[in-house]
Amino acid sequence: EQRLGPIDVLVHNALIPYDITSFADLTWEQLGGKLDREVHAAFLLTKGVVPGMTSRGYGRLLYLTAEPSRHPRNGMINLGVSKAAMNSFVRYIALELAPYGITANLVAPATVQGTSMNQKLTPEQLHALGSAAPMGRLVKPDEIAKTLAFLASEDSGFTTGHYFPLDGGLTLD
């Protein structure tokens, strides 16, 4: 805050690299490393902004997470477990910080149209992912931005500790 001024909104959008693998092939170094980096990043950023938010009686903490944290998929144990730990962390800080006018929420986009992660998938795989959702397509970056903008606004002041899937109805949460 000394360099940037008061910070009222934090958007934690770190996707720490991970391996797609089965439990049988997963090592503790892979899982423990991802778990440590994921929660550590969220912890440090949150620790950095909460004192100022608390003193002002206002703040919005937003964390991007992933569907495998609540809906397991084959090969996604590394991502799912680490994001599930972060999800739990966010719910605890939502509970603790609510009396200070600070909200904390999770946004879980499904596969996002046009991102670098798409390069790891074939066009057929991308089409299948989009087709699996009732809305029949991948989530668009601006749809994520609009959800984050709402959760960062005054209009969401009574919304905290929630998980918002952006998946076109895929999970129907």
Side-chain angles (χ1 to χ4, degrees):
E1 290 197 349
Q2 290 174 355
R3 284 189 298 136
L4 302 173
I7 298 171
D8 291 331
V9 178
L10 168 69
V11 177
H12 178 272
N13 187 25
L15 179 60
I16 309 298
Y18 61 95
D19 297 310
I20 298 173
T21 187
S22 66
F23 174 73
D25 296 330
L26 183 67
T27 67
W28 176 250
E29 289 73 26
Q30 290 170 308
L31 181 61
K34 170 81 170 134
L35 185 60
D36 178 60
R37 290 187 308 270
E38 195 76 49
V39 178
H40 194 203
F43 176 85
L44 289 176
L45 287 170
T46 305
K47 275 288 199 179
V49 299
V50 164
M53 290 178 174
T54 302
S55 71
R56 288 186 299 282
Y58 180 89
R60 299 289 185 263
L61 302 169
L62 307 170
Y63 303 81
L64 275 87
T65 186
E67 287 293 328
S69 68
R70 291 180 57 166
H71 301 279
R73 293 196 328 239
N74 285 327
M76 303 302 281
I77 187 170
N78 208 355
L79 175 68
V81 169
S82 61
K83 289 293 189 181
M86 188 185 73
N87 294 359
S88 187
F89 167 75
V90 171
R91 286 190 301 271
Y92 275 97
I93 62 169
L95 175 67
E96 186 172 328
L97 299 175
Y100 301 98
I102 301 169
T103 64
N105 289 291
L106 296 148
V107 175
T111 304
V112 182
Q113 182 180 331
T115 66
S116 60
M117 288 299 292
N118 295 171
Q119 296 169 6
K120 294 184 176 190
L121 303 169
T122 66
E124 294 79 21
Q125 289 171 316
L126 282 172
H127 178 74
L129 287 169
S131 296
M135 291 186 126
R137 63 176 175 79
L138 301 176
V139 64
K140 297 174 186 174
D142 69 313
E143 292 168 322
I144 299 166
K146 289 174 184 176
T147 300
L148 291 169
F150 167 72
L151 291 170
S153 75
E154 293 281 339
D155 294 337
S156 71
F158 204 63
T159 304
T160 194
H162 291 284
Y163 175 95
F164 294 88
L166 297 178
D167 61 11
L170 185 64
T171 57
L172 296 174
D173 272 349

